[in-house]
């Protein structure tokens, strides 16, 4: 599974770690994250992320 980076702040979403604080379990691919999810650092929308 590929990582994705926030274009605004540089946060890297790693599917192996997920985002437990944001309700995303480890092992969740970026494409499977709900569209309502936002960057845990800057609050940017999921559409502000690019594949690494």
């Amino acid at each position: 599974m590929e990582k994705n980076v926030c274009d605004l702040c540089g946060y890297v979403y790693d599917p192996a770690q997920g985002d437990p604080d944001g309700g995303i379990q480890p092992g969740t691919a970026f494409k499977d994250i709900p569209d309502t999810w936002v960057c845990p650092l800057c609050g940017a929308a999921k559409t502000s992320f690019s594949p690494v």
Side-chain angles (χ1 to χ4, degrees), residues 6-46:
C6 178
D7 297 330
L8 301 179
C9 75
Y11 169 80
V12 176
Y13 174 78
D14 182 351
Q17 295 179 4
D19 177 22
D21 292 338
I24 308 300
Q25 296 298 317
T28 303
F30 190 76
K31 67 177 181 65
D32 296 329
I33 295 174
D35 290 337
T36 56
W37 179 82
V38 296
C39 177
L41 294 185
C42 72
K46 183 180 171 185

Side-chain angles (χ1 to χ4, degrees), residues 1-5 12-17 30 49-52:
M1 286 188 276
E2 69 182 16
K3 297 177 182 179
N4 285 263
V5 63
V12 176
Y13 174 78
D14 182 351
Q17 295 179 4
F30 190 76
F49 280 72
S50 301
V52 174

